[in-house]
PDB file of all heavy atoms in Angstrom:
ATOM      1  N   PHE A   1      24.628  15.118 -33.942  1.00 96.00           N
ATOM      2  CA  PHE A   1      25.632  15.981 -33.432  1.00 96.00           C
ATOM      3  C   PHE A   1      25.876  17.190 -34.288  1.00 96.00           C
ATOM      4  O   PHE A   1      26.717  18.057 -33.980  1.00 96.00           O
ATOM      5  CB  PHE A   1      26.978  15.175 -33.282  1.00 96.00           C
ATOM      6  CG  PHE A   1      26.943  14.243 -32.108  1.00 96.00           C
ATOM      7  CD1 PHE A   1      26.508  12.930 -32.205  1.00 96.00           C
ATOM      8  CD2 PHE A   1      27.454  14.616 -30.869  1.00 96.00           C
ATOM      9  CE1 PHE A   1      26.516  11.998 -31.228  1.00 96.00           C
ATOM     10  CE2 PHE A   1      27.430  13.741 -29.804  1.00 96.00           C
ATOM     11  CZ  PHE A   1      26.932  12.489 -29.935  1.00 96.00           C
ATOM     12  N   GLU A   2      25.264  17.231 -35.485  1.00 92.00           N
ATOM     13  CA  GLU A   2      25.467  18.408 -36.383  1.00 92.00           C
ATOM     14  C   GLU A   2      24.260  19.388 -36.231  1.00 92.00           C
ATOM     15  O   GLU A   2      24.202  20.374 -36.992  1.00 92.00           O
ATOM     16  CB  GLU A   2      25.418  17.851 -37.823  1.00 92.00           C
ATOM     17  CG  GLU A   2      26.451  16.669 -38.103  1.00 92.00           C
ATOM     18  CD  GLU A   2      27.830  17.090 -37.560  1.00 92.00           C
ATOM     19  OE1 GLU A   2      28.280  18.204 -37.800  1.00 92.00           O
ATOM     20  OE2 GLU A   2      28.543  16.185 -36.922  1.00 92.00           O
ATOM     21  N   ASN A   3      23.434  19.231 -35.225  1.00 90.00           N
ATOM     22  CA  ASN A   3      22.301  20.162 -35.042  1.00 90.00           C
ATOM     23  C   ASN A   3      22.928  21.545 -34.596  1.00 90.00           C
ATOM     24  O   ASN A   3      23.557  21.655 -33.579  1.00 90.00           O
ATOM     25  CB  ASN A   3      21.390  19.603 -33.922  1.00 90.00           C
ATOM     26  CG  ASN A   3      20.083  20.404 -33.850  1.00 90.00           C
ATOM     27  OD1 ASN A   3      20.140  21.643 -33.748  1.00 90.00           O
ATOM     28  ND2 ASN A   3      18.998  19.705 -33.803  1.00 90.00           N
ATOM     29  N   THR A   4      22.663  22.472 -35.402  1.00 89.00           N
ATOM     30  CA  THR A   4      23.249  23.862 -35.095  1.00 89.00           C
ATOM     31  C   THR A   4      22.419  24.671 -34.106  1.00 89.00           C
ATOM     32  O   THR A   4      22.876  25.532 -33.467  1.00 89.00           O
ATOM     33  CB  THR A   4      23.408  24.675 -36.445  1.00 89.00           C
ATOM     34  OG1 THR A   4      22.167  24.703 -37.118  1.00 89.00           O
ATOM     35  CG2 THR A   4      24.475  24.033 -37.344  1.00 89.00           C
ATOM     36  N   ARG A   5      21.139  24.372 -34.000  1.00 91.00           N
ATOM     37  CA  ARG A   5      20.352  25.068 -33.104  1.00 91.00           C
ATOM     38  C   ARG A   5      20.540  24.595 -31.637  1.00 91.00           C
ATOM     39  O   ARG A   5      20.577  25.373 -30.668  1.00 91.00           O
ATOM     40  CB  ARG A   5      18.836  24.914 -33.440  1.00 91.00           C
ATOM     41  CG  ARG A   5      17.900  25.795 -32.604  1.00 91.00           C
ATOM     42  CD  ARG A   5      16.464  25.651 -33.005  1.00 91.00           C
ATOM     43  NE  ARG A   5      15.531  26.412 -32.186  1.00 91.00           N
ATOM     44  CZ  ARG A   5      14.231  26.295 -32.159  1.00 91.00           C
ATOM     45  NH1 ARG A   5      13.654  25.272 -32.886  1.00 91.00           N
ATOM     46  NH2 ARG A   5      13.529  27.080 -31.452  1.00 91.00           N
ATOM     47  N   PHE A   6      20.711  23.320 -31.470  1.00 93.00           N
ATOM     48  CA  PHE A   6      20.826  22.755 -30.117  1.00 93.00           C
ATOM     49  C   PHE A   6      22.112  21.857 -30.185  1.00 93.00           C
ATOM     50  O   PHE A   6      21.997  20.634 -30.100  1.00 93.00           O
ATOM     51  CB  PHE A   6      19.658  21.959 -29.644  1.00 93.00           C
ATOM     52  CG  PHE A   6      18.367  22.679 -29.648  1.00 93.00           C
ATOM     53  CD1 PHE A   6      17.262  22.246 -30.384  1.00 93.00           C
ATOM     54  CD2 PHE A   6      18.237  23.853 -28.943  1.00 93.00           C
ATOM     55  CE1 PHE A   6      16.058  22.989 -30.349  1.00 93.00           C
ATOM     56  CE2 PHE A   6      17.032  24.541 -28.917  1.00 93.00           C
ATOM     57  CZ  PHE A   6      15.943  24.097 -29.666  1.00 93.00           C
ATOM     58  N   PRO A   7      23.286  22.410 -30.258  1.00 95.00           N
ATOM     59  CA  PRO A   7      24.551  21.629 -30.327  1.00 95.00           C
ATOM     60  C   PRO A   7      24.750  20.853 -29.119  1.00 95.00           C
ATOM     61  O   PRO A   7      24.428  21.307 -27.999  1.00 95.00           O
ATOM     62  CB  PRO A   7      25.630  22.686 -30.588  1.00 95.00           C
ATOM     63  CG  PRO A   7      25.079  23.966 -29.993  1.00 95.00           C
ATOM     64  CD  PRO A   7      23.633  23.886 -30.283  1.00 95.00           C
ATOM     65  N   ILE A   8      25.240  19.650 -29.220  1.00 97.00           N
ATOM     66  CA  ILE A   8      25.463  18.767 -28.003  1.00 97.00           C
ATOM     67  C   ILE A   8      26.854  19.113 -27.569  1.00 97.00           C
ATOM     68  O   ILE A   8      27.872  18.819 -28.113  1.00 97.00           O
ATOM     69  CB  ILE A   8      25.355  17.276 -28.382  1.00 97.00           C
ATOM     70  CG1 ILE A   8      23.872  16.991 -28.742  1.00 97.00           C
ATOM     71  CG2 ILE A   8      25.797  16.405 -27.113  1.00 97.00           C
ATOM     72  CD1 ILE A   8      23.688  15.574 -29.251  1.00 97.00           C
ATOM     73  N   TYR A   9      26.852  19.728 -26.306  1.00 97.00           N
ATOM     74  CA  TYR A   9      28.260  20.059 -25.726  1.00 97.00           C
ATOM     75  C   TYR A   9      28.842  18.871 -24.957  1.00 97.00           C
ATOM     76  O   TYR A   9      30.001  18.863 -24.798  1.00 97.00           O
ATOM     77  CB  TYR A   9      28.088  21.229 -24.788  1.00 97.00           C
ATOM     78  CG  TYR A   9      28.059  22.563 -25.417  1.00 97.00           C
ATOM     79  CD1 TYR A   9      27.337  22.831 -26.606  1.00 97.00           C
ATOM     80  CD2 TYR A   9      28.853  23.661 -24.874  1.00 97.00           C
ATOM     81  CE1 TYR A   9      27.352  24.098 -27.193  1.00 97.00           C
ATOM     82  CE2 TYR A   9      28.849  24.861 -25.544  1.00 97.00           C
ATOM     83  CZ  TYR A   9      28.097  25.115 -26.678  1.00 97.00           C
ATOM     84  OH  TYR A   9      28.068  26.343 -27.261  1.00 97.00           O
ATOM     85  N   GLY A  10      27.950  18.026 -24.383  1.00 98.00           N
ATOM     86  CA  GLY A  10      28.345  16.911 -23.540  1.00 98.00           C
ATOM     87  C   GLY A  10      27.211  16.384 -22.795  1.00 98.00           C
ATOM     88  O   GLY A  10      26.040  16.625 -23.118  1.00 98.00           O
ATOM     89  N   GLY A  11      27.472  15.634 -21.745  1.00 98.00           N
ATOM     90  CA  GLY A  11      26.453  15.036 -20.924  1.00 98.00           C
ATOM     91  C   GLY A  11      26.867  14.699 -19.565  1.00 98.00           C
ATOM     92  O   GLY A  11      28.158  14.562 -19.302  1.00 98.00           O
ATOM     93  N   LEU A  12      26.004  14.455 -18.594  1.00 98.00           N
ATOM     94  CA  LEU A  12      26.282  13.933 -17.279  1.00 98.00           C
ATOM     95  C   LEU A  12      25.899  12.541 -17.190  1.00 98.00           C
ATOM     96  O   LEU A  12      24.655  12.258 -17.341  1.00 98.00           O
ATOM     97  CB  LEU A  12      25.618  14.841 -16.200  1.00 98.00           C
ATOM     98  CG  LEU A  12      25.925  14.425 -14.797  1.00 98.00           C
ATOM     99  CD1 LEU A  12      27.369  14.703 -14.398  1.00 98.00           C
ATOM    100  CD2 LEU A  12      25.065  15.182 -13.810  1.00 98.00           C
ATOM    101  N   LEU A  13      26.767  11.580 -17.042  1.00 98.00           N
ATOM    102  CA  LEU A  13      26.568  10.158 -16.926  1.00 98.00           C
ATOM    103  C   LEU A  13      26.292   9.783 -15.506  1.00 98.00           C
ATOM    104  O   LEU A  13      27.118  10.030 -14.636  1.00 98.00           O
ATOM    105  CB  LEU A  13      27.630   9.342 -17.629  1.00 98.00           C
ATOM    106  CG  LEU A  13      27.601   7.873 -17.398  1.00 98.00           C
ATOM    107  CD1 LEU A  13      26.404   7.236 -18.109  1.00 98.00           C
ATOM    108  CD2 LEU A  13      28.888   7.246 -17.947  1.00 98.00           C
ATOM    109  N   HIS A  14      25.214   9.073 -15.273  1.00 98.00           N
ATOM    110  CA  HIS A  14      24.892   8.567 -13.891  1.00 98.00           C
ATOM    111  C   HIS A  14      24.902   7.013 -14.052  1.00 98.00           C
ATOM    112  O   HIS A  14      23.828   6.452 -14.355  1.00 98.00           O
ATOM    113  CB  HIS A  14      23.537   9.129 -13.441  1.00 98.00           C
ATOM    114  CG  HIS A  14      23.087   8.515 -12.138  1.00 98.00           C
ATOM    115  ND1 HIS A  14      23.829   8.036 -11.172  1.00 98.00           N
ATOM    116  CD2 HIS A  14      21.741   8.372 -11.723  1.00 98.00           C
ATOM    117  CE1 HIS A  14      23.113   7.661 -10.190  1.00 98.00           C
ATOM    118  NE2 HIS A  14      21.848   7.849 -10.447  1.00 98.00           N
ATOM    119  N   PRO A  15      26.034   6.382 -13.908  1.00 98.00           N
ATOM    120  CA  PRO A  15      26.112   4.886 -14.301  1.00 98.00           C
ATOM    121  C   PRO A  15      25.137   3.992 -13.565  1.00 98.00           C
ATOM    122  O   PRO A  15      24.729   2.981 -14.149  1.00 98.00           O
ATOM    123  CB  PRO A  15      27.557   4.582 -13.980  1.00 98.00           C
ATOM    124  CG  PRO A  15      28.277   5.888 -14.048  1.00 98.00           C
ATOM    125  CD  PRO A  15      27.347   6.901 -13.584  1.00 98.00           C
ATOM    126  N   ARG A  16      24.823   4.318 -12.297  1.00 98.00           N
ATOM    127  CA  ARG A  16      23.984   3.419 -11.508  1.00 98.00           C
ATOM    128  C   ARG A  16      22.471   3.643 -11.782  1.00 98.00           C
ATOM    129  O   ARG A  16      21.677   2.870 -11.255  1.00 98.00           O
ATOM    130  CB  ARG A  16      24.234   3.558 -10.021  1.00 98.00           C
ATOM    131  CG  ARG A  16      25.611   3.035  -9.571  1.00 98.00           C
ATOM    132  CD  ARG A  16      26.025   3.378  -8.174  1.00 98.00           C
ATOM    133  NE  ARG A  16      24.993   3.003  -7.108  1.00 98.00           N
ATOM    134  CZ  ARG A  16      24.644   3.737  -6.067  1.00 98.00           C
ATOM    135  NH1 ARG A  16      25.241   4.901  -5.883  1.00 98.00           N
ATOM    136  NH2 ARG A  16      23.802   3.239  -5.268  1.00 98.00           N
ATOM    137  N   GLY A  17      22.172   4.720 -12.526  1.00 97.00           N
ATOM    138  CA  GLY A  17      20.781   4.926 -12.873  1.00 97.00           C
ATOM    139  C   GLY A  17      20.346   3.883 -13.956  1.00 97.00           C
ATOM    140  O   GLY A  17      21.168   3.176 -14.494  1.00 97.00           O
ATOM    141  N   GLY A  18      19.092   3.882 -14.262  1.00 97.00           N
ATOM    142  CA  GLY A  18      18.604   2.955 -15.271  1.00 97.00           C
ATOM    143  C   GLY A  18      17.034   2.880 -15.285  1.00 97.00           C
ATOM    144  O   GLY A  18      16.342   3.965 -15.145  1.00 97.00           O
ATOM    145  N   SER A  19      16.569   1.723 -15.370  1.00 96.00           N
ATOM    146  CA  SER A  19      15.135   1.483 -15.468  1.00 96.00           C
ATOM    147  C   SER A  19      14.688   0.177 -14.847  1.00 96.00           C
ATOM    148  O   SER A  19      15.563  -0.599 -14.461  1.00 96.00           O
ATOM    149  CB  SER A  19      14.631   1.605 -16.955  1.00 96.00           C
ATOM    150  OG  SER A  19      15.248   0.485 -17.629  1.00 96.00           O
ATOM    151  N   ALA A  20      13.436   0.024 -14.725  1.00 96.00           N
ATOM    152  CA  ALA A  20      12.860  -1.278 -14.201  1.00 96.00           C
ATOM    153  C   ALA A  20      11.510  -1.408 -14.789  1.00 96.00           C
ATOM    154  O   ALA A  20      10.958  -0.476 -15.449  1.00 96.00           O
ATOM    155  CB  ALA A  20      12.748  -1.232 -12.674  1.00 96.00           C
ATOM    156  N   ARG A  21      10.941  -2.628 -14.735  1.00 95.00           N
ATOM    157  CA  ARG A  21       9.589  -2.869 -15.306  1.00 95.00           C
ATOM    158  C   ARG A  21       8.571  -2.455 -14.287  1.00 95.00           C
ATOM    159  O   ARG A  21       8.466  -2.987 -13.199  1.00 95.00           O
ATOM    160  CB  ARG A  21       9.464  -4.302 -15.651  1.00 95.00           C
ATOM    161  CG  ARG A  21       8.065  -4.606 -16.266  1.00 95.00           C
ATOM    162  CD  ARG A  21       7.920  -5.949 -16.851  1.00 95.00           C
ATOM    163  NE  ARG A  21       6.506  -6.176 -17.306  1.00 95.00           N
ATOM    164  CZ  ARG A  21       6.041  -7.277 -17.848  1.00 95.00           C
ATOM    165  NH1 ARG A  21       6.868  -8.371 -18.090  1.00 95.00           N
ATOM    166  NH2 ARG A  21       4.857  -7.375 -18.175  1.00 95.00           N
ATOM    167  N   HIS A  22       7.769  -1.439 -14.632  1.00 93.00           N
ATOM    168  CA  HIS A  22       6.888  -0.738 -13.647  1.00 93.00           C
ATOM    169  C   HIS A  22       5.905  -1.752 -13.050  1.00 93.00           C
ATOM    170  O   HIS A  22       5.817  -1.775 -11.792  1.00 93.00           O
ATOM    171  CB  HIS A  22       6.218   0.466 -14.265  1.00 93.00           C
ATOM    172  CG  HIS A  22       5.643   0.185 -15.659  1.00 93.00           C
ATOM    173  ND1 HIS A  22       4.252  -0.341 -15.713  1.00 93.00           N
ATOM    174  CD2 HIS A  22       6.071   0.331 -16.825  1.00 93.00           C
ATOM    175  CE1 HIS A  22       4.013  -0.410 -16.972  1.00 93.00           C
ATOM    176  NE2 HIS A  22       5.073   0.032 -17.713  1.00 93.00           N
ATOM    177  N   ASP A  23       5.193  -2.493 -13.832  1.00 93.00           N
ATOM    178  CA  ASP A  23       4.093  -3.298 -13.250  1.00 93.00           C
ATOM    179  C   ASP A  23       4.639  -4.475 -12.476  1.00 93.00           C
ATOM    180  O   ASP A  23       4.160  -4.867 -11.436  1.00 93.00           O
ATOM    181  CB  ASP A  23       3.145  -3.848 -14.358  1.00 93.00           C
ATOM    182  CG  ASP A  23       3.845  -4.251 -15.634  1.00 93.00           C
ATOM    183  OD1 ASP A  23       5.086  -4.435 -15.653  1.00 93.00           O
ATOM    184  OD2 ASP A  23       3.191  -4.492 -16.630  1.00 93.00           O
ATOM    185  N   ALA A  24       5.943  -4.931 -12.818  1.00 96.00           N
ATOM    186  CA  ALA A  24       6.560  -5.972 -12.043  1.00 96.00           C
ATOM    187  C   ALA A  24       6.990  -5.513 -10.663  1.00 96.00           C
ATOM    188  O   ALA A  24       6.905  -6.312  -9.684  1.00 96.00           O
ATOM    189  CB  ALA A  24       7.764  -6.478 -12.812  1.00 96.00           C
ATOM    190  N   VAL A  25       7.208  -4.247 -10.490  1.00 97.00           N
ATOM    191  CA  VAL A  25       7.532  -3.680  -9.218  1.00 97.00           C
ATOM    192  C   VAL A  25       6.249  -3.778  -8.285  1.00 97.00           C
ATOM    193  O   VAL A  25       6.306  -4.149  -7.156  1.00 97.00           O
ATOM    194  CB  VAL A  25       7.982  -2.182  -9.357  1.00 97.00           C
ATOM    195  CG1 VAL A  25       8.203  -1.615  -7.915  1.00 97.00           C
ATOM    196  CG2 VAL A  25       9.292  -2.192 -10.140  1.00 97.00           C
ATOM    197  N   ALA A  26       5.111  -3.353  -8.846  1.00 97.00           N
ATOM    198  CA  ALA A  26       3.836  -3.479  -8.085  1.00 97.00           C
ATOM    199  C   ALA A  26       3.549  -4.941  -7.773  1.00 97.00           C
ATOM    200  O   ALA A  26       3.231  -5.247  -6.629  1.00 97.00           O
ATOM    201  CB  ALA A  26       2.672  -2.889  -8.897  1.00 97.00           C
ATOM    202  N   TRP A  27       3.734  -5.845  -8.696  1.00 97.00           N
ATOM    203  CA  TRP A  27       3.474  -7.263  -8.448  1.00 97.00           C
ATOM    204  C   TRP A  27       4.381  -7.845  -7.396  1.00 97.00           C
ATOM    205  O   TRP A  27       3.947  -8.606  -6.497  1.00 97.00           O
ATOM    206  CB  TRP A  27       3.608  -8.053  -9.754  1.00 97.00           C
ATOM    207  CG  TRP A  27       2.681  -7.610 -10.773  1.00 97.00           C
ATOM    208  CD1 TRP A  27       1.449  -6.925 -10.645  1.00 97.00           C
ATOM    209  CD2 TRP A  27       2.808  -7.830 -12.237  1.00 97.00           C
ATOM    210  NE1 TRP A  27       0.894  -6.699 -11.884  1.00 97.00           N
ATOM    211  CE2 TRP A  27       1.736  -7.216 -12.893  1.00 97.00           C
ATOM    212  CE3 TRP A  27       3.783  -8.398 -13.034  1.00 97.00           C
ATOM    213  CZ2 TRP A  27       1.579  -7.234 -14.277  1.00 97.00           C
ATOM    214  CZ3 TRP A  27       3.616  -8.458 -14.366  1.00 97.00           C
ATOM    215  CH2 TRP A  27       2.569  -7.824 -15.032  1.00 97.00           C
ATOM    216  N   GLY A  28       5.621  -7.467  -7.460  1.00 97.00           N
ATOM    217  CA  GLY A  28       6.655  -7.973  -6.458  1.00 97.00           C
ATOM    218  C   GLY A  28       6.291  -7.539  -5.018  1.00 97.00           C
ATOM    219  O   GLY A  28       6.362  -8.359  -4.100  1.00 97.00           O
ATOM    220  N   TYR A  29       6.011  -6.240  -4.867  1.00 98.00           N
ATOM    221  CA  TYR A  29       5.628  -5.762  -3.534  1.00 98.00           C
ATOM    222  C   TYR A  29       4.282  -6.359  -3.158  1.00 98.00           C
ATOM    223  O   TYR A  29       4.053  -6.682  -1.930  1.00 98.00           O
ATOM    224  CB  TYR A  29       5.539  -4.249  -3.541  1.00 98.00           C
ATOM    225  CG  TYR A  29       6.846  -3.588  -3.269  1.00 98.00           C
ATOM    226  CD1 TYR A  29       7.426  -2.724  -4.190  1.00 98.00           C
ATOM    227  CD2 TYR A  29       7.548  -3.814  -2.086  1.00 98.00           C
ATOM    228  CE1 TYR A  29       8.667  -2.078  -3.979  1.00 98.00           C
ATOM    229  CE2 TYR A  29       8.772  -3.130  -1.815  1.00 98.00           C
ATOM    230  CZ  TYR A  29       9.310  -2.338  -2.738  1.00 98.00           C
ATOM    231  OH  TYR A  29      10.614  -1.759  -2.431  1.00 98.00           O
ATOM    232  N   ALA A  30       3.289  -6.482  -4.022  1.00 98.00           N
ATOM    233  CA  ALA A  30       2.032  -7.118  -3.677  1.00 98.00           C
ATOM    234  C   ALA A  30       2.226  -8.508  -3.203  1.00 98.00           C
ATOM    235  O   ALA A  30       1.644  -8.970  -2.165  1.00 98.00           O
ATOM    236  CB  ALA A  30       1.112  -7.035  -4.887  1.00 98.00           C
ATOM    237  N   ARG A  31       3.018  -9.277  -3.881  1.00 97.00           N
ATOM    238  CA  ARG A  31       3.247 -10.693  -3.598  1.00 97.00           C
ATOM    239  C   ARG A  31       3.952 -10.789  -2.139  1.00 97.00           C
ATOM    240  O   ARG A  31       3.602 -11.583  -1.344  1.00 97.00           O
ATOM    241  CB  ARG A  31       4.097 -11.350  -4.658  1.00 97.00           C
ATOM    242  CG  ARG A  31       4.606 -12.702  -4.332  1.00 97.00           C
ATOM    243  CD  ARG A  31       5.316 -13.280  -5.573  1.00 97.00           C
ATOM    244  NE  ARG A  31       6.056 -14.572  -5.244  1.00 97.00           N
ATOM    245  CZ  ARG A  31       7.254 -14.690  -4.813  1.00 97.00           C
ATOM    246  NH1 ARG A  31       7.988 -13.569  -4.589  1.00 97.00           N
ATOM    247  NH2 ARG A  31       7.800 -15.798  -4.618  1.00 97.00           N
ATOM    248  N   GLY A  32       4.969  -9.917  -1.983  1.00 98.00           N
ATOM    249  CA  GLY A  32       5.707  -9.951  -0.723  1.00 98.00           C
ATOM    250  C   GLY A  32       4.843  -9.534   0.469  1.00 98.00           C
ATOM    251  O   GLY A  32       4.901 -10.104   1.559  1.00 98.00           O
ATOM    252  N   ALA A  33       3.999  -8.504   0.230  1.00 98.00           N
ATOM    253  CA  ALA A  33       3.073  -8.113   1.296  1.00 98.00           C
ATOM    254  C   ALA A  33       2.044  -9.194   1.655  1.00 98.00           C
ATOM    255  O   ALA A  33       1.782  -9.517   2.857  1.00 98.00           O
ATOM    256  CB  ALA A  33       2.330  -6.799   0.965  1.00 98.00           C
ATOM    257  N   ASP A  34       1.453  -9.811   0.568  1.00 98.00           N
ATOM    258  CA  ASP A  34       0.466 -10.819   0.736  1.00 98.00           C
ATOM    259  C   ASP A  34       1.049 -12.040   1.539  1.00 98.00           C
ATOM    260  O   ASP A  34       0.377 -12.632   2.402  1.00 98.00           O
ATOM    261  CB  ASP A  34      -0.032 -11.328  -0.579  1.00 98.00           C
ATOM    262  CG  ASP A  34      -1.023 -12.376  -0.492  1.00 98.00           C
ATOM    263  OD1 ASP A  34      -2.210 -12.139  -0.166  1.00 98.00           O
ATOM    264  OD2 ASP A  34      -0.670 -13.515  -0.677  1.00 98.00           O
ATOM    265  N   GLN A  35       2.304 -12.435   1.214  1.00 97.00           N
ATOM    266  CA  GLN A  35       2.984 -13.543   1.869  1.00 97.00           C
ATOM    267  C   GLN A  35       3.116 -13.314   3.431  1.00 97.00           C
ATOM    268  O   GLN A  35       3.240 -14.221   4.154  1.00 97.00           O
ATOM    269  CB  GLN A  35       4.273 -13.809   1.272  1.00 97.00           C
ATOM    270  CG  GLN A  35       4.226 -14.433  -0.165  1.00 97.00           C
ATOM    271  CD  GLN A  35       5.561 -14.653  -0.754  1.00 97.00           C
ATOM    272  OE1 GLN A  35       6.572 -13.952  -0.415  1.00 97.00           O
ATOM    273  NE2 GLN A  35       5.626 -15.545  -1.747  1.00 97.00           N
ATOM    274  N   ARG A  36       3.119 -12.046   3.757  1.00 97.00           N
ATOM    275  CA  ARG A  36       3.317 -11.620   5.216  1.00 97.00           C
ATOM    276  C   ARG A  36       2.003 -11.377   5.879  1.00 97.00           C
ATOM    277  O   ARG A  36       1.951 -10.871   6.949  1.00 97.00           O
ATOM    278  CB  ARG A  36       4.302 -10.466   5.321  1.00 97.00           C
ATOM    279  CG  ARG A  36       5.718 -10.946   5.065  1.00 97.00           C
ATOM    280  CD  ARG A  36       6.623  -9.730   4.774  1.00 97.00           C
ATOM    281  NE  ARG A  36       8.078 -10.232   4.685  1.00 97.00           N
ATOM    282  CZ  ARG A  36       8.504 -10.729   3.561  1.00 97.00           C
ATOM    283  NH1 ARG A  36       7.788 -10.866   2.524  1.00 97.00           N
ATOM    284  NH2 ARG A  36       9.825 -11.131   3.622  1.00 97.00           N
ATOM    285  N   GLY A  37       0.874 -11.616   5.175  1.00 97.00           N
ATOM    286  CA  GLY A  37      -0.451 -11.591   5.799  1.00 97.00           C
ATOM    287  C   GLY A  37      -1.192 -10.334   5.518  1.00 97.00           C
ATOM    288  O   GLY A  37      -2.310 -10.124   6.101  1.00 97.00           O
ATOM    289  N   VAL A  38      -0.722  -9.409   4.705  1.00 98.00           N
ATOM    290  CA  VAL A  38      -1.458  -8.206   4.358  1.00 98.00           C
ATOM    291  C   VAL A  38      -2.575  -8.557   3.446  1.00 98.00           C
ATOM    292  O   VAL A  38      -2.459  -9.311   2.535  1.00 98.00           O
ATOM    293  CB  VAL A  38      -0.451  -7.184   3.716  1.00 98.00           C
ATOM    294  CG1 VAL A  38      -1.219  -6.012   3.196  1.00 98.00           C
ATOM    295  CG2 VAL A  38       0.603  -6.715   4.646  1.00 98.00           C
TER     296      VAL A  38
END
């Protein structure tokens, strides 16, 4: 917060944003599609 070149004035908080495990997303959809005959 003491950076004089790029002082932090504030921020925009998006509480519902976040992250997920990328490869698990692929595996989950792959498993779901396969179970339905794809």
